[in-house]
Amino acid sequence: MTMRTTIDSYKTRAGRLDTSDIDFGSFMDRPLSPEGLRCLRYMHDIEHHTVCYLRDLLLTPAHRDPDVTAFLSCWSYEELWHGEAIACVLEAHGEEAGAPRIARLRSRRPKRDLLALVAKLGLSTTAGDAFVALHMTWGAVNEWTTQAGYARLASLEGHPVLSELLKRIMKQEGRHVDFYASEAARRLTGKPRYQRLTRLALRHLWRPVGSGVMPRSEVAFLVQHLFDGEEGRSMAARIDRRIDALPGQEGLDLLGRAVARTR
Ligand SMILES: [Fe+2]
Ligand SMILES: [Fe+2]
């Protein structure tokens, strides 16, 4: 698919997550496990942090490409509503969520933000297109892991209402995957220099989504809970194989190493 058809098909499908028929009240009778809620707090914070990632990304050469910015506009809108939906689950458990929680998160002193670092790296190189190829690859890895994380959480909790909600979120994450992964493959193909830059950045800088924002203990917990154990490890290995299939990115073992680091 060309960039045009990829972005046009995404743009027309993008939209606010429909939760009008989700029975959030059911969590009062059948609450989630403490571990599941701990994962959801993380996911809530990270979905709501998307707009901050967007701020960093728009400072990079990515902002020059109107198709990329069209994607990012719709993407950040969809991620916002994922955060809102998860907020409803947390609130149904009597927890504070949404604006007050997000405001507190942003007022905390930011940790080293890897994405901002990569963005600066992109700016310091004169190669704008190489940076966009890296950004698309980075995005694909993050969307793959996010989607897999939701799938694992749904399976661990076995809660019908949560499963339905996460299924809808995962469908949208799947479209984010499609865009980032197809763009990554297209932009890396036949470009050994872009492949090397991307490989270098992933190998040395990539960390699980949210690592730059959430406390280390929460990142370790989330990775352990969702990606360790037999089912989790096979999910992580599947993502590593997808990364292997991208031009010049084979053998990075990003997920495998991330899981090992948290042990
Ligand atoms: Fe999302
Ligand atoms: Fe996403």
Side-chain angles (χ1 to χ4, degrees):
M1 257 206 306
T2 64
M3 174 77 159
R4 276 250 65 82
T5 51
T6 315
I7 185 61
D8 286 345
S9 78
Y10 174 67
K11 253 190 332 196
T12 52
R13 285 184 180 89
R16 174 180 168 175
L17 187 78
D18 182 14
T19 57
S20 53
D21 59 338
I22 296 283
D23 180 13
F24 290 103
S26 72
F27 292 107
M28 292 177 194
D29 305 323
R30 187 182 162 181
L32 298 170
S33 73
E35 294 80 17
L37 284 172
R38 193 168 169 187
C39 290
L40 279 178
R41 276 179 225 122
Y42 188 112
M43 289 156 161
H44 166 274
D45 293 352
I46 294 313
E47 293 283 10
H48 275 299
H49 199 70
T50 305
V51 70
C52 305
Y53 294 130
L54 181 65
R55 171 199 60 183
D56 293 338
L57 287 168
L58 290 177
L59 294 172
T60 75
H63 84 275
R64 288 190 213 120
D65 186 322
D67 286 328
V68 170
T69 54
F71 169 76
L72 293 174
S73 306
C74 300
W75 166 76
S76 67
Y77 181 75
E78 289 192 325
E79 305 292 25
L80 167 82
W81 288 103
H82 297 173
E84 296 287 312
I86 297 169
C88 293
V89 179
L90 293 175
E91 281 161 357
H93 288 80
E95 296 202 15
E96 185 186 60
R101 185 175 165 94
I102 303 159
R104 241 184 318 114
L105 179 77
R106 292 200 191 146
S107 70
R108 274 199 301 222
R109 200 182 160 79
K111 290 173 60 183
R112 188 170 65 117
D113 191 333
L114 283 172
L115 183 70
L117 188 75
V118 174
K120 280 185 203 110
L121 192 109
L123 281 178
S124 66
T125 66
T126 46
D129 289 344
F131 176 78
V132 179
L134 161 62
H135 166 201
M136 293 296 119
T137 312
W138 190 283
V141 176
N142 284 355
E143 296 287 346
W144 275 325
T145 51
T146 302
Q147 196 189 35
Y150 283 132
R152 285 287 296 138
L153 181 63
S155 138
L156 285 167
E157 291 298 311
H159 189 297
V161 177
L162 182 75
S163 294
E164 176 58 32
L165 178 66
L166 295 184
K167 190 179 90 184
R168 293 183 195 183
I169 294 181
M170 281 160 60
K171 193 171 169 194
Q172 294 195 327
E173 306 295 10
R175 295 195 197 118
H176 304 165
V177 163
D178 290 344
F179 182 85
Y180 280 121
S182 63
E183 281 305 302
R186 191 174 72 81
R187 288 165 187 270
L188 291 171
T189 300
K191 300 276 187 0
R193 204 167 51 84
Y194 297 8
Q195 293 174 18
R196 280 196 301 275
L197 172 81
T198 299
R199 193 179 173 81
L200 196 73
L202 287 178
R203 176 180 288 286
H204 296 289
L205 302 174
W206 187 84
R207 294 290 180 274
V209 190
S211 297
V213 189
M214 302 303 287
R216 197 185 289 260
S217 60
E218 296 313 292
V219 181
F221 171 79
L222 187 99
V223 170
Q224 280 288 300
H225 191 64
L226 300 180
F227 293 105
D228 218 342
E230 201 180 325
E231 211 184 309
R233 275 197 300 272
S234 83
M235 194 80 117
R238 208 173 315 148
I239 297 171
D240 278 325
R241 285 196 297 275
R242 288 186 192 145
I243 300 168
D244 287 345
L246 290 171
Q249 312 305 308
E250 54 285 331
L252 280 167
D253 193 28
L254 292 182
L255 273 286
R257 286 192 300 139
V259 175
R261 264 198 304 269
T262 62
R263 277 189 205 122

